[in-house]
């Protein structure tokens, strides 16, 4: 099996991870308990891409808006579409990371790292200060990757464990839970 076939065959894991993470982020009002790190903030916002079908019959839906307005994305899930890409904000230790995560390759896009005192003063010509700023940015990116990897590990533990059936039922109930009609939330 070549790499392209393997990616296509396993892309469902990234899609399930994004859906599970969206569910987890709403389960406790944006707070997710990450083992070893404590509570972190995970918020889905502004942009989601959902897909269905394969090859030439692929259908894509882009949903944009504030977090509360992502009902179209939830409707897409209800219709069997898979979450392929999402804009996520993670808050941890007074830092806020903003990025888009693409499911198929678990690819980070449009990453905005936290602003720090060092990175705010990026007008220096001093090579040592430039090196310090670069190393700090690398550290912050590594921290973001560590947090996402921790969340993915948490997902895999659930996904591969005996509790996946129960978790899947909770996710399905969450997806089906409500719709917005004429600006009012309706239970379905």
């Amino acid at each position: 099996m070549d790499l392209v076939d393997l990616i296509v065959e396993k892309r469902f894991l990234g899609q399930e991870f994004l859906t599970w993470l969206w569910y987890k982020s709403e389960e406790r009002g944006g707070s997710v308990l990450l083992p070893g790190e404590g509570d972190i903030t995970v918020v889905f916002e502004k942009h989601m891409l959902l897909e269905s079908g394969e090859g030439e019959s692929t259908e894509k839906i882009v949903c944009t808006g504030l977090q509360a307005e992502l009902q179209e994305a939830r409707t897409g899930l209800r219709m069997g579409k898979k979450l392929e890409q999402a804009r996520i904000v993670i808050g941890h230790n007074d830092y806020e990371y903003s990025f888009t995560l693409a499911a198929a390759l678990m690819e980070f896009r449009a990453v905005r790292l936290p602003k720090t005192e060092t990175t705010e003063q990026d007008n220096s010509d001093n090579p040592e200060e430039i090196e310090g700023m670069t190393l700090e940015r690398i550290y912050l990116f590594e921290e973001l990757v560590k947090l996402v990897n921790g969340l993915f590990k948490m997902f895999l533990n659930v996904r591969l464990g005996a509790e996946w059936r129960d978790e899947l039922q909770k996710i399905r109930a969450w997806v089906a839970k409500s719709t917005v009609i004429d600006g009012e939330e309706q239970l379905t």
Side-chain angles (χ1 to χ4, degrees):
M1 180 179 290
D2 69 356
L3 181 60
V4 174
D5 292 335
L6 187 61
I7 290 169
V8 169
E9 182 182 316
K10 304 298 182 194
R11 77 183 299 158
F12 76 93
L13 269 177
Q15 294 168 334
E16 286 183 3
F17 169 63
L18 279 179
T19 304
W20 174 85
L21 187 58
W22 186 15
Y23 159 73
K24 284 308 237 188
S25 74
E26 290 190 1
E27 184 181 44
R28 292 179 51 223
S31 184
V32 177
L33 180 59
L34 182 61
E37 297 293 336
D39 278 331
I40 64 171
T41 304
V42 179
V43 178
F44 281 65
E45 67 171 19
K46 297 182 184 176
H47 173 85
M48 288 187 180
L49 171 69
L50 290 96
E51 290 184 346
S52 65
E54 291 183 19
E56 291 181 19
S57 64
T58 299
E59 191 175 295
K60 295 181 181 192
I61 296 174
V62 177
C63 303
T64 59
L66 300 175
Q67 179 191 12
E69 298 172 357
L70 290 173
Q71 290 299 323
E72 284 185 42
R74 194 173 301 194
T75 300
L77 289 177
R78 220 178 280 126
M79 296 171 56
K81 296 189 179 352
K82 307 293 183 195
L83 188 53
E84 179 56 35
Q85 184 174 292
R87 186 82 187 152
I88 303 169
V89 176
I90 291 182
H92 179 254
N93 289 342
D94 298 326
Y95 289 133
E96 187 174 276
Y97 303 87
S98 178
F99 61 99
T100 298
L101 188 62
L105 298 174
M106 296 292 287
E107 176 184 5
F108 291 84
R109 297 178 181 168
V111 176
R112 282 199 199 121
L113 296 173
K115 295 192 183 298
T116 64
E117 187 176 320
T118 305
T119 59
E120 287 293 300
Q121 303 169 5
D122 63 357
N123 56 357
S124 175
D125 290 331
N126 182 339
E128 290 176 0
E129 288 180 13
I130 293 172
E131 181 180 359
M133 286 185 297
T134 303
L135 291 174
E136 184 172 46
R137 303 297 285 175
I138 291 169
Y139 166 76
L140 290 171
F141 191 78
E142 287 175 342
E143 285 297 300
L144 171 61
V145 171
K146 181 177 132 187
L147 291 170
V148 173
N149 284 344
L151 290 166
F152 189 61
K153 180 180 178 184
M154 203 170 117
F155 162 73
L156 287 177
N157 286 336
V158 172
R159 179 66 173 88
L160 300 173
E163 68 269 18
W164 177 243
R165 271 207 155 118
D166 293 336
E167 190 82 351
L168 190 55
Q169 292 303 332
K170 291 176 189 175
I171 293 169
R172 286 180 178 153
W174 167 78
V175 168
K177 167 177 95 172
S178 65
T179 58
V180 174
I181 299 173
D182 295 328
E184 292 188 32
E185 190 170 6
Q186 306 290 319
L187 293 178
T188 55

